[in-house]
Amino acid sequence: MTHSEADLSPATPKKNIVQTLELDLRLLGMIGAFAVLCIGFDLVTGGRFLTPRNIFNLTIQTVSVAIMATGMVFVIVTRHIDLSVGALLATCSAVMAMTQTQFLPNVLGLGLGHPLIPWISIAVGLMVGTLIGAFQGWMVGYLTIPAFIVTLGGLLVWRNVGWYLTSGKTIGPLDPTFQKFGGINGTLGATGSWVLGLLAVAGALYGLWTSRRNKIKHGFTVKPMWAEGVLAGIISAAILGFVAVLNAYEVPTRKLQRMFEARGEVMPEGFTQSYGIPISVLLLIFIAVAMTILAKRTRLGRYIFATGGNPDAAELSGINTRWLTVKIFALMGALCAISAVVASARLTNHSNDIGTLDELRVIAAAVIGGTALAGGLGTIHGAILGALIMQSLQSGMAMVGVDAPLQNIVVGAVLVLAVLIDIIYRKKTGES
């Protein structure tokens, strides 16, 4: 090869560590923004924000919005919107509250505390949420009424249906087993949390290994082994660190004493007990994994993103986009019912203002998490991180003493800024 030919041969571009690890720049940016937010609030509050207690509370406060945000990703990806999620949550909550406090004890004769009450109530709530969601999807898909109008009407209708179901009253206290889905009333404890954490680490490492093996099998380029090791270390540290922080939050001594007294026992000197991972967070993790698999590994997921990318082409290729719309809104309704379980269980009762403005929080979480309003792009983990950022922002401002109106102003400004940054990012990277 001559000197001139060597100059013309293309040089392999040198990769930086982010490119070698194949990390998503948008996700890294969100994690960085979240870290800056947390550290900033921790400094302003004198170290009160990043305490185990506040992180525990932050996680259980995020769950109900995050669950709905995973479904909102699919709705927005297909170029629709759902403004009724907060009102639908309220209706499902009212239905479940009335089922377990009025219908089952008075009509079916199941006494309060019966083991079947919470499960029947949840099943009824899921059925109602799914049917309402499917009905709204049918109006959007088959009657071709814009989703904005259908769900705006739903916002007004279902909020007030919930009010009439309970005659405007607060219904509670709810079943003790049902309350375990709310957070502080239902946790895995220290041992259960460590076991779950280790299983999660094992699952993550197995996923990395199988992914690498499949790439090699099909002739794709794989990361260097050191990069795989770094990635495995980061994931393992994140999972076990999260478990350690939640285990560091201990049950108050007075509450422990009351628990022992209720059992007719005396609490041993120096006895402590950790809360660990809340059952509601475990539920969110399960839903996140299931929704991610649905998005990436199933025909329905491929149809959803294909339809969002180009609805006309998707229909011409044989995808029944009308029926797909019904499925997506039915799924959204089911997730609203699950969120209703978490939200009402955390409050230990159903109240008329439950879910108020949740539709805006859910949409904001999905958009901040990188879901494109133009359709076709979005991730489940991004929406959950978006929900966590939104909740952290509100909780931090509340701890600092910012007035509620100013909190809403800041959240609104952050939403607009997030969309602007997303638009600029897509233009620079050439994404549609």
Side-chain angles (χ1 to χ4, degrees), residues 221-242:
T221 306
V222 294
K223 293 187 285 289
M225 280 304 297
W226 69 263
E228 296 281 13
V230 169
L231 202 56
I234 292 172
I235 293 170
S236 301
I239 293 171
L240 297 179
F242 177 67

Side-chain angles (χ1 to χ4, degrees), residues 411-429:
V411 169
V414 167
L415 174 59
V416 174
L417 182 63
V419 174
L420 176 61
I421 292 170
D422 189 57
I423 290 169
I424 294 169
Y425 176 83
R426 291 186 199 284
K427 283 181 179 177
K428 282 188 175 181
T429 57

Side-chain angles (χ1 to χ4, degrees), residues 152-218:
L152 180 61
L155 185 153
L156 300 171
V157 170
W158 305 121
R159 170 66 59 185
N160 291 288
V161 165
W163 190 94
Y164 276 109
L165 284 171
T166 61
S167 302
K169 299 174 184 176
T170 296
I171 307 297
L174 301 178
D175 182 87
T177 303
F178 185 89
Q179 288 183 29
K180 290 183 184 295
F181 289 98
I184 203 161
N185 292 314
T187 60
L188 298 182
T191 304
S193 299
W194 282 122
V195 170
L196 179 67
L198 292 171
L199 288 173
V201 168
L205 296 180
Y206 178 74
L208 288 174
W209 178 70
T210 53
S211 175
R212 182 181 178 84
R213 187 182 60 180
N214 289 335
K215 283 182 179 179
I216 293 172
K217 183 179 177 182
H218 294 94

